[in-house]
Amino acid sequence: MSQATLSQSNGTVTHSGTIKSFTPSDIGRIFPAQKAKALELRLSTAKERIIKLKKLKDVIFKYQTEIQKALYADFHKSAREVDISEILPTIGEINDAIKHTKSWMRPVNVNTPITLLGSSSKIVYEPKGVCLIIAPWNYPFHLAVAPIAAAISAGNTIVLKPSEFTPNTAIILKTMLAEIFQENEVAVFEGDVSVSTALLEQPFDHIFFTGSTPVGKVVMEAAAKHLTTVTLELGGKSPTIVADDADLKVAAERIMWGKFLNAGQTCVAPDYVLIPKAKVDKFVSFAKEAAEKYFNSKEDKFVENPDFCRIINSKNFGRVSSYIDEAVKKGAKVAFGGKLKADENFISPTILTDVPLDAKIMEDEIFGPLLPIVTYDHLDDAIKIINDKPKPLALYIFSDKAKTAKYILNRTSSGGSVVNDVILHLVNSNLPFGGINHSGHGSYHGLFGFKAFSHERSVLQTPKLSIVKLMYPPYTGFVKMVVDSTTRFFV
C-alpha cells in the first residue's frame, strides 16, 4: 500500500499514489484477524499502548498539511479552522491519553463489606475487543481519530468507517493509519452505506457511532442483534437561553462564534436562542457586529471569505436553505444574512427573528449557519420550550447571576451544559462528553473515552477460611441466628 498525497491548484485537489480500496468482501478476512489480534492486545502494557499513541500523534503532524488540503477539498474548510477544530483537539485527546493511560489501566481497589471479611475486591479494566468506529462528515478527522486514540489506550483493535461525504479526508486517514498499523489492528473501510451495513452485520464487541439520531437508531438496532454495546454520539437541537440579566455583547460574540464555526455543521452548535422580547434588537445588533468582525466581511460579501466553509453537499444545502423559506412564509424575518450560492453549496451566516415554534427550523436539527431567535416573557416559558423537545446534546445559558443559571440547570436536562459560553465543554478532557436519550448514549473524552472502550470487570478474591461458610446449609438454628444477627447489625 503506497502513500497517497493531495496536491492543490486553483482550488482543485488531485490524488497521487495507489490506495487499496476495501470492499465488504474484505470483512471476512479482516474481522477474524482482528479478533485474534484482540486476544493478544489484552496483554499489552501501558508502555506499548503509549508508544502507539505517540506514533499516532507524530503521523498527524507529518500529514498536517495534507489534512488541511483534504478538508478544504471536501467542504472548503480553511487551514486555520482545520487546525483549531480538527487537529488541536485531537492532539489534546492523544496527549491526555499518553499522560494517563498507565494510571487508567491500574486496577481500582474497592471496599469489601464485613459480611465478606477477609476478602478483597477490585475493578479491572479490560479491552472490549474488536471495535467499530463510524465517523461523521462534519468533523471527519477529529471525530475519527479521537475515538481511535481512546480505543488504543484501552487496548482494542479497530475498524474505522469514515464518511463517504468527505472522501479526501478518508483517503488521508487511511494513508496515515496504514503507515503505523497493520490492518489486523486498525483497518479503514471506505465506501457508502452498503459498507456500513455490511460492517454492522458483524458481531463487534463495541460500536462507537457519531452521527444523526435517525441513523443512531439503525446502529443500535443492528447492535442489538449481537447484544453489542454501543456509544452513540448523536445530536439534537441544542438551545441557548439568554437571561434578562445577561451581558448581551458577550453573549452575542460567543454565540456567533459557536454557531458559525464549521458553517454551523457542529453537533453542539447553538441551534436556537431564547431571549426576552425587549432584548432582541440589541442582541441582533451585537450579533451582526460579531459576525462581520470574525469574517472581516459585510453580510453580502461572506461568499468571498476564505475562512467560511461550505455546506457539505447539495442535498444538505437544499435542506438547510429550505428552512429559511419555510420560516419566512410563517412570519419569520431575516434580520441578517440569508445569502445563498447553490453552485458552491454556500449559505451565509443568517439570523432569523420572530420565528414561530411550529416552523420546520424549530423542529429539525439545523446543521447549518442559521440562527433562529425565539422570544419569551418569563424564564419558565423558555424552560418549557426546551422541555417540550427531546433532551438536547448541549444547553447553553448566559446569565450574570449564578442563581439564574442554577435555576435553569435544575429544571432542564441535556448531555452537557456551558454557562456564559458555548461548545467549550468539549475542550476539557476531564468532563464526559455525550448525550442523553435522543441525543446519545454513553460518553467519552479522557478517562471517559478509556472507559467507553473498556469493560469494568469485578474481581473478588476470598481466603480459604470464609465466614460465609457459617451460612451454608443445612439451615440449622445456628445458621438462622447468624443470618439474623448479620441482617440486623452488619449489613
Side-chain angles (χ1 to χ4, degrees):
M1 184 181 293
S2 62
Q3 178 173 312
T5 59
L6 296 174
S7 60
Q8 187 173 350
S9 176
N10 298 323
T12 301
V13 176
T14 58
H15 307 287
S16 63
T18 303
I19 297 289
K20 180 183 179 299
S21 294
F22 289 128
T23 65
S25 63
D26 291 300
I27 298 172
R29 171 176 55 84
I30 292 175
F31 187 80
Q34 288 212 351
K35 290 286 284 185
K37 183 67 173 179
L39 295 176
E40 177 187 329
L41 292 182
R42 291 177 64 86
L43 304 177
S44 59
T45 64
K47 182 179 180 180
E48 290 169 333
R49 298 179 192 183
I50 289 168
I51 288 172
K52 294 173 187 177
L53 289 166
K54 288 181 177 178
K55 287 181 179 179
L56 181 61
K57 177 181 172 180
D58 290 343
V59 82
I60 291 172
F61 285 125
K62 176 181 176 180
Y63 281 90
Q64 184 167 358
T65 299
E66 303 299 311
I67 296 165
Q68 293 166 347
K69 291 178 181 177
L71 279 150
Y72 185 88
D74 283 330
F75 58 116
H76 202 84
K77 191 165 185 173
S78 73
R80 293 294 74 78
E81 195 158 289
V82 171
D83 289 343
I84 292 167
S85 66
E86 302 271 1
I87 293 176
L88 186 152
T90 303
I91 295 299
E93 285 289 319
I94 295 172
N95 282 341
D96 190 63
I98 290 170
K99 183 178 180 180
H100 294 111
T101 291
K102 186 175 181 180
S103 61
W104 292 342
M105 287 176 64
R106 289 194 192 107
V108 178
N109 294 319
V110 297
N111 292 331
T112 304
I114 195 169
T115 51
L116 298 175
L117 186 65
S119 301
S120 62
S121 305
K122 63 183 176 181
I123 300 169
V124 175
Y125 292 95
E126 61 181 28
K128 286 191 172 178
V130 186
C131 299
L132 172 62
I133 296 173
I134 303 177
W137 54 260
N138 60 324
Y139 290 90
F141 183 82
H142 172 58
L143 294 179
V145 182
I148 286 175
I152 291 170
S153 175
N156 299 278
T157 59
I158 301 150
V159 171
L160 171 67
K161 169 59 178 72
S163 173
E164 65 272 26
F165 295 151
T166 48
N168 297 288
T169 306
I171 287 176
I172 291 301
L173 283 166
K174 192 172 193 176
T175 304
M176 288 171 41
L177 294 169
E179 191 169 301
I180 55 177
F181 294 107
Q182 296 296 314
E183 65 181 21
N184 67 342
E185 187 166 353
V186 179
V188 180
F189 280 74
E190 295 178 271
D192 59 15
V193 68
S194 65
V195 178
S196 298
T197 302
L199 287 169
L200 287 170
E201 292 173 355
Q202 304 303 309
F204 283 94
D205 297 302
H206 188 71
I207 298 174
F208 188 103
F209 170 79
T210 305
S212 69
T213 298
V215 180
K217 292 178 181 179
V218 174
V219 172
M220 195 168 186
E221 183 178 0
K225 294 177 182 178
H226 302 290
L227 296 180
T228 297
T229 57
V230 295
T231 302
L232 301 178
E233 297 296 336
L234 308 178
K237 296 190 72 62
S238 296
T240 301
I241 291 184
V242 178
D244 189 61
D245 56 64
D247 184 318
L248 289 184
K249 184 174 177 61
V250 169
E253 289 177 345
R254 294 177 181 182
I255 292 168
M256 290 302 97
W257 168 75
K259 181 61 187 182
F260 300 132
L261 177 72
N262 210 44
Q265 299 167 116
T266 304
C267 59
V268 289
D271 203 88
Y272 62 100
V273 170
L274 296 160
I275 189 168
K277 287 180 182 177
K279 305 286 185 177
V280 172
D281 291 343
K282 195 170 183 181
F283 175 84
V284 170
S285 177
F286 285 135
K288 289 179 181 179
E289 289 179 14
E292 292 179 346
K293 178 180 70 175
Y294 293 153
F295 299 103
N296 195 26
S297 301
K298 293 297 181 182
E299 60 181 295
D300 59 341
K301 298 291 185 181
F302 276 94
V303 70
E304 300 169 9
N305 189 284
D307 292 328
F308 193 77
C309 71
R310 297 326 190 227
I311 303 300
I312 186 65
N313 53 34
S314 59
K315 179 182 177 181
N316 277 277
F317 171 84
R319 177 185 61 80
V320 177
S321 60
S322 72
Y323 293 145
I324 302 174
D325 296 334
E326 197 261 356
V328 169
K329 285 178 182 177
K330 289 195 170 186
K333 297 181 179 64
V334 177
F336 179 75
K339 304 297 186 294
L340 311 174
K341 196 164 191 247
D343 61 334
E344 290 188 22
N345 296 325
F346 169 81
I347 300 176
S348 70
T350 301
I351 300 172
L352 296 163
T353 58
D354 299 327
V355 179
L357 291 176
D358 64 348
K360 198 76 172 161
I361 198 172
M362 289 301 297
E363 296 174 359
D364 300 341
E365 183 179 13
I366 300 169
F367 238 65
L370 314 181
L371 184 67
I373 295 177
V374 176
T375 61
Y376 66 86
D377 293 317
H378 304 287
L379 188 57
D380 286 339
D381 298 332
I383 291 171
K384 184 178 187 305
I385 290 171
I386 293 169
N387 288 336
D388 283 346
K389 298 179 183 297
K391 295 178 180 180
L393 184 57
L395 167 66
Y396 305 119
I397 301 165
F398 284 85
S399 172
D400 283 348
K401 296 179 181 178
K403 184 179 179 180
T404 302
K406 184 178 179 181
Y407 184 90
I408 296 169
L409 289 169
N410 286 343
R411 287 160 177 78
T412 56
S413 178
S414 63
S417 296
V418 183
V419 177
N420 289 326
D421 219 317
V422 299
I423 296 181
L424 295 183
H425 58 305
L426 277 70
V427 177
N428 187 350
S429 59
N430 297 307
L431 290 173
F433 174 73
I436 177 171
N437 297 133
H438 273 71
S439 56
H441 288 194
S443 61
Y444 76 120
H445 287 187
L447 172 62
F448 305 98
F450 174 85
K451 287 187 174 183
F453 288 97
S454 300
H455 169 59
E456 293 179 284
R457 186 177 189 174
S458 59
V459 178
L460 176 76
Q461 185 168 342
T462 62
K464 283 187 177 181
L465 296 176
S466 172
I467 64 172
V468 176
K469 189 175 181 180
L470 297 175
M471 301 184 193
Y472 286 0
Y475 297 127
T476 63
F478 175 76
V479 171
K480 181 179 183 303
M481 181 191 71
V482 171
V483 173
D484 287 347
S485 299
T486 302
T487 303
R488 285 177 177 273
F489 303 113
F490 299 111
V491 295

